[in-house]
Amino acid sequence: MTNNKDAPGVIEDAFPLSMLQQGMLFHSAKDEHLGVYHDVFSYEIEARWDEAAFDKMLDLLIDKHSILRTIYRVDGARPLQVVFEKKTPFLEVTDLRKYSKNEQNGILTEWLLAEKRVPIDTTKHVWKVFVHLLGDSQIQFGLSFHHALWDGWSVANFVSELFVGYAALLEGQTNFDAEKPPSYRSFVALEQQALNSSANKAYWANILLDAKTPWWTGEKSSESQFFLCEISKEQSEKIIALASELDVAEKSIWCAIYLSLIAILDGSLDVIGSIATHGRPELPNSDKMLGLFLNTLPLRVNLKNLRWRDLVKAVDHELREQYTYRHHPLVDVQNQTGLDFSASMFGYLNFRIYGDSGVKSKILGGQGFEETNYSMVVSVEKLESSRRHVFRINADAQLFDAASQTHIRAYVKNLVDNLTANKDKVISINKLIGTDERELQIKQWNHRETIDVGNQTLITALAQVQIKSPDAIALVLENVNLSYRQLDEQSSQMANV
């Protein structure tokens, strides 16, 4: 059964899309074949099925949250999000109870693979709900949406509210918190203020002066492949203890590990990463708001001569300082500096909503699909119940193939172990990789091709490479990396002495 009547009525509000929303819509249109920013999640939930109760709870949430009554109009002079007074949700229910568990799993996998290939028509439905009935007390809840609609916190909030309310309805309760949170337009207003700030522009111009992005910037060409870097219970405990000792957020330590990983892959000590940050408005009841309250901001550190504790402290300081500038959209920073920050992104997740609401105990399992325009996305999630961390990477499968992923797993383990055991020692990136890995990085990852020097002299051959790949690593000695450009400059200085 499918309920997808598109019958929008009276317009309640209309306001511009945020810059990040516009960017996501652009990339999803540009790389539609990759399913960029079309997210599909599926959760197996312990609950009996009552369609009337489920419909009622959906309607209550749609009435409460204006973002659920929103569509996008991008055909005018300025892209808009249009909010209707009422909106019928897309809901599709499929009964799989006659199939075996293995058959159900096969059908659900096929559904997820097929759904991620169906483009989201944001002029009709920005989000869709699918329910597969598995048994008398089990359902598979599917959520398909454009990421421009909301962030991970909002998804968790929505799922929690939906199933806590649904369970209450099944028990005969009728009283619900119907207080409407602030509109998403409050976030867009904060972004507009930031765009008009000369102080913001000066801050980013200073931070990113003469910055260079990783060698694989702008190279994304294929679907991302998901893989895990195992973090042991012992490693998690050491990270938690170190955060307390250094008086920093755990996020800062993981962000330092992420930036060090980028340094290894790029062969550079002057590192630039992109950090997912949250800009939820500080308004009454704003914690109940649904929407895309994200921004991605560049973070730059130079690892040269730093101890591990210095790096962690520097990252923690930068993250705190950036809080003031969290509403300044990344696209404006890119336009201002001419830099592309799509090489990588880091996100730290710590969703307490499921645990606080009790709904997590009803979620028996799940799977999902999400694709971005970033070549590599590193995310660390803290599981509060077990005090463990999950280190996930989604990376372009052509840029970072299976062999590269094996190396990356080893790098992450070495980084965690070295940081926690040697916090007062100077960072030596080259000592974190083996001889064969170092050869792979310098020869394959930096150049990706062999230059035939023929009968040229060494000086002529080096000059040729310096012109072709000036920022590639030419020389590695202990904790010093020199690019061909730097080697040429220092050679010229020596020659003129």
Side-chain angles (χ1 to χ4, degrees), residues 88-100:
T88 303
F90 181 107
L91 172 62
E92 182 174 291
V93 181
T94 305
D95 193 342
L96 301 182
R97 287 176 289 192
K98 67 180 181 180
Y99 297 100
S100 68

Side-chain angles (χ1 to χ4, degrees), residues 151-153 187 251 275-280 293-295 323 326-327 348-349 351:
D151 51 34
W153 177 274
F187 174 81
K251 174 183 178 179
I275 314 300
T277 185
H278 296 267
R280 188 176 291 268
F293 303 105
L294 290 179
N295 193 10
Y323 187 78
R326 66 193 183 281
H327 293 118
Y348 183 76
L349 311 173
F351 297 144

Side-chain angles (χ1 to χ4, degrees), residues 29 58 71 107 130 145 160 166 170 225 251 259 271 324 339 350 367 381 387 389 419-420 446 464 468 476 489:
L58 266 185
I71 62 170
I107 293 170
F130 299 83
F145 57 91
S160 176
Y166 175 62
L170 292 179
Q225 191 168 66
K251 174 183 178 179
L259 291 168
V271 187
T324 303
L339 296 171
N350 189 6
Q367 56 183 326
E381 180 178 5
R387 289 169 61 87
H389 296 91
L419 189 154
T420 53
N446 267 297
Q464 178 183 344
K468 187 175 183 63
V476 177
E489 291 172 350

Side-chain angles (χ1 to χ4, degrees), residues 229-232 235-240 243 248-261 275 312 315 319 346-349 378-382 387-392 412-413 415-417 419-420:
C229 300
E230 184 179 355
I231 304 298
S232 69
Q235 287 176 314
S236 286
E237 291 293 352
K238 287 181 178 179
I239 292 287
I240 295 170
V248 298
E250 289 173 36
K251 174 183 178 179
S252 300
I253 297 181
W254 288 111
C255 187
I257 291 170
Y258 151 72
L259 291 168
S260 301
L261 175 62
I275 314 300
V312 171
V315 170
L319 290 174
F346 170 77
Y348 183 76
L349 311 173
V378 175
S379 64
V380 176
E381 180 178 5
K382 183 178 182 182
R387 289 169 61 87
R388 294 285 299 272
H389 296 91
V390 180
F391 197 108
R392 302 182 180 91
V412 171
K413 181 182 185 303
L415 286 167
V416 174
D417 289 343
L419 189 154
T420 53

Side-chain angles (χ1 to χ4, degrees), residues 48-77:
R48 66 181 177 87
W49 179 242
D50 184 319
E51 191 162 334
F54 192 84
D55 284 345
K56 181 176 181 179
M57 196 60 226
L58 266 185
D59 288 340
L60 286 170
L61 291 181
I62 290 170
D63 182 65
K64 178 179 179 178
H65 297 285
S66 60
I67 200 79
L68 299 176
R69 292 178 268 117
T70 299
I71 62 170
Y72 303 146
R73 298 292 191 194
V74 297
D75 51 352

